[in-house]
């Protein structure tokens, strides 16, 4: 077996569990983002359309440039290298594997990010909306209900919940 080398975080749902090695690599990538990634992150961190994004997010064995977990969307920024050699085939295989894990992959060229940021953001938000509305904001009409609060009446003394 892999032993402790591939320790998984058991508190996360299966598609989100990542090895320690992958998490470390993601942390390193966050510190060394490309210019298009930095510029896009400056916009995505503002939660466009009410959607929360994560950067350099590990989805073992891959690391997504950006991910919106609520919409199950991964955003990849592709530089020129993605057009060379066997990289297009490798990208297709990666997208297929991520799709089987429940994620939709949206690939955007680095040039698009640099030249047409507003259109890129609009396209990302539209892709997120296709998956459904964002979760309610924490500041919308007070705090969210406590777990189960809206689903059942309080039990009376000596009664069990149905």
């Amino acid at each position: 077996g892999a032993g402790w080398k591939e320790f998984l975080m058991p508190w996360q749902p299966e598609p989100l569990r990542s090895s320690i090695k992958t998490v470390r690599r993601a942390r390193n990538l966050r510190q060394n983002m490309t210019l298009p990634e930095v510029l896009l992150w400056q916009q995505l961190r503002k939660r466009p359309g009410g959607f929360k994004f994560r950067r350099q997010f590990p989805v073992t064995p891959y690391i997504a440039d950006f991910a919106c977990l609520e919409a199950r969307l991964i955003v990849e920024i592709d530089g020129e290298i993605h057009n060379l050699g066997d990289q297009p085939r490798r990208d297709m295989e990666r997208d297929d594997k991520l799709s089987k894990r429940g994620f939709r992959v949206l690939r955007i060229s680095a040039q698009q990010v640099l030249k047409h940021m507003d259109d890129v953001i609009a396209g990302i938000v539209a892709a997120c909306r296709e998956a459904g509305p964002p979760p309610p904001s924490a500041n919308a009409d007070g705090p969210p209900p406590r777990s189960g609060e809206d689903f059942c009446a309080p039990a009376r003394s000596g009664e069990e919940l149905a």
Side-chain angles (χ1 to χ4, degrees):
W4 289 102
K5 212 189 287 186
E6 293 298 318
F7 170 73
L8 298 179
M9 293 174 228
W11 59 88
Q12 290 184 329
E14 182 63 38
L16 303 182
R17 291 183 187 167
S18 300
S19 69
I20 296 294
K21 180 180 176 183
T22 303
V23 171
R24 285 186 182 137
R25 204 167 92 234
R27 286 180 185 151
N28 183 44
L29 288 171
R30 280 183 214 118
Q31 295 171 358
N32 298 295
M33 293 170 63
T34 65
L35 178 61
E37 289 172 341
V38 169
L39 295 174
L40 184 56
W41 177 241
Q42 288 174 346
Q43 300 303 311
L44 293 179
R45 69 188 312 187
K46 296 175 186 175
R47 297 184 179 212
F51 293 97
K52 179 182 178 179
F53 291 86
R54 297 166 189 252
R55 63 187 170 135
Q56 304 300 334
F57 185 73
V59 184
T60 300
Y62 307 111
I63 297 173
D65 290 339
F66 302 97
C68 176
L69 299 182
E70 298 89 355
R72 305 291 293 173
L73 179 74
I74 288 176
V75 179
E76 289 291 319
I77 306 305
D78 290 347
E80 288 300 314
I81 191 136
H82 288 269
N83 298 324
L84 303 175
D86 70 339
Q87 192 62 46
R89 178 189 57 77
R90 293 174 64 200
D91 287 346
M92 229 168 63
E93 287 174 4
R94 173 185 166 135
D95 293 355
D96 184 53
K97 288 179 182 176
L98 290 168
S99 175
K100 288 177 180 170
R101 295 180 78 176
F103 289 96
R104 178 175 171 207
V105 180
L106 180 63
R107 291 192 168 274
I108 302 170
S109 77
Q111 288 301 314
Q112 286 291 100
V113 172
L114 294 173
K115 294 180 180 178
H116 306 286
M117 182 64 78
D118 290 342
D119 293 337
V120 167
I121 296 297
I124 292 170
V125 169
C128 286
R129 286 194 176 127
E130 286 177 21
S137 172
N139 60 6
D141 298 328
R146 291 181 301 203
S147 178
E149 192 171 88
D150 286 339
F151 301 110
C152 59
R156 288 184 228 144
S157 162
E159 267 186 328
E160 288 188 36
L161 290 177

